[in-house]
């Protein structure tokens, strides 16, 4: 298996976990990961909204031959907006949107020719952007939150 396929496989594990969570009791979705921490719903939405952002501002643009426009955001503000979105969404809608967003990213990356996938890009802030590194960073991010979710089984 190529590194690209390995990364795509690991990146897709989030979809399986969200499907498992979808089968759980609705009360789980309102359970905080720990005292004073986000709820399951908020964590899922947090990852979903980052997936949306990086698809629109980086991956989709790279796939079309354009430069990524992703940039450093105010993380606290971005995450607070994700929490608000989570509170306003039904679990069913959130699950559907989360899975669709990750599948969209995976399909866009999988269909990239190797030269596009391996290309060196520069984001809006002038920082280097590589598709493989993006996946590695977000696989780490997913695993960080998956470990938290495991604690509340």
């Amino acid at each position: 298996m190529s590194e690209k396929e390995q990364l795509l496989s690991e990146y897709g594990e989030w979809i399986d976990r969200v499907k498992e969570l979808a089968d759980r009791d609705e009360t789980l979705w309102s359970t905080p990961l720990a005292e004073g921490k986000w709820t399951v719903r908020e964590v899922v939405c947090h990852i979903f909204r980052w997936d949306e952002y990086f698809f629109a501002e980086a991956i989709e643009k790279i796939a079309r031959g354009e430069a990524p426009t992703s940039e450093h955001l105010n993380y606290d503000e971005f995450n607070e907006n994700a929490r608000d979105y989570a509170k306003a969404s039904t679990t069913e809608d959130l699950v559907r949107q989360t899975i669709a967003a990750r599948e969209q990213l995976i399909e866009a990356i999988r269909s990239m020719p190797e030269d596009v996938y391996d290309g060196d890009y520069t984001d809006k802030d002038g920082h280097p952007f590589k598709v493989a590194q993006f996946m590695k960073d977000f696989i780490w991010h997913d695993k960080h939150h998956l470990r938290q979710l495991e604690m509340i089984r």
Side-chain angles (χ1 to χ4, degrees):
M1 180 182 301
S2 70
E3 181 193 42
K4 178 181 178 180
E5 283 304 317
Q6 177 62 37
L7 289 172
L8 286 167
S9 176
E10 286 184 63
Y11 196 52
E13 289 174 11
W14 176 245
I15 294 169
D16 296 333
R17 185 64 176 120
V18 171
K19 287 178 180 178
E20 290 171 16
L21 290 169
D23 291 336
R24 301 285 300 274
D25 188 85
E26 183 66 30
T27 58
L28 174 85
W29 286 81
S30 300
T31 303
L33 300 181
E35 188 174 332
K37 297 291 186 180
W38 293 349
T39 64
V40 171
R41 168 185 307 286
E42 291 166 338
V43 169
V44 170
C45 192
H46 159 78
I47 293 176
F48 155 57
R49 296 306 293 242
W50 281 112
D51 280 358
E52 273 189 326
Y53 175 78
F54 276 102
F55 178 76
E57 300 300 330
I59 302 303
E60 182 180 38
K61 291 184 186 297
I62 290 168
R64 289 195 315 236
E66 301 170 15
T69 56
S70 54
E71 62 186 318
H72 179 80
L73 299 176
N74 178 324
Y75 296 142
D76 291 335
E77 182 179 320
F78 187 93
N79 291 333
E80 194 57 39
N81 288 338
R83 290 179 74 194
D84 291 343
Y85 189 93
K87 291 172 187 167
S89 300
T90 66
T91 301
E92 183 179 311
D93 284 345
L94 189 55
V95 166
R96 182 182 44 75
Q97 291 172 321
T98 299
I99 291 169
R102 184 58 63 101
E103 286 175 341
Q104 185 177 42
L105 273 164
I106 289 169
E107 185 50 40
I109 295 168
R110 178 172 279 125
S111 63
M112 285 179 180
E114 290 308 308
D115 63 319
V116 174
Y117 173 78
D118 291 330
D120 292 310
Y121 303 97
T122 304
D123 70 13
K124 193 171 178 180
D125 291 331
H127 298 117
F129 187 98
K130 289 190 71 71
V131 176
Q133 189 59 52
F134 158 77
M135 282 197 294
K136 289 174 185 175
D137 292 345
F138 275 85
I139 288 166
W140 179 91
H141 182 248
D142 290 352
K143 289 182 183 209
H144 164 73
H145 288 302
L146 287 168
R147 282 189 299 275
Q148 293 175 320
L149 290 168
E150 289 296 319
M151 304 293 271
I152 60 160
R153 281 185 172 264

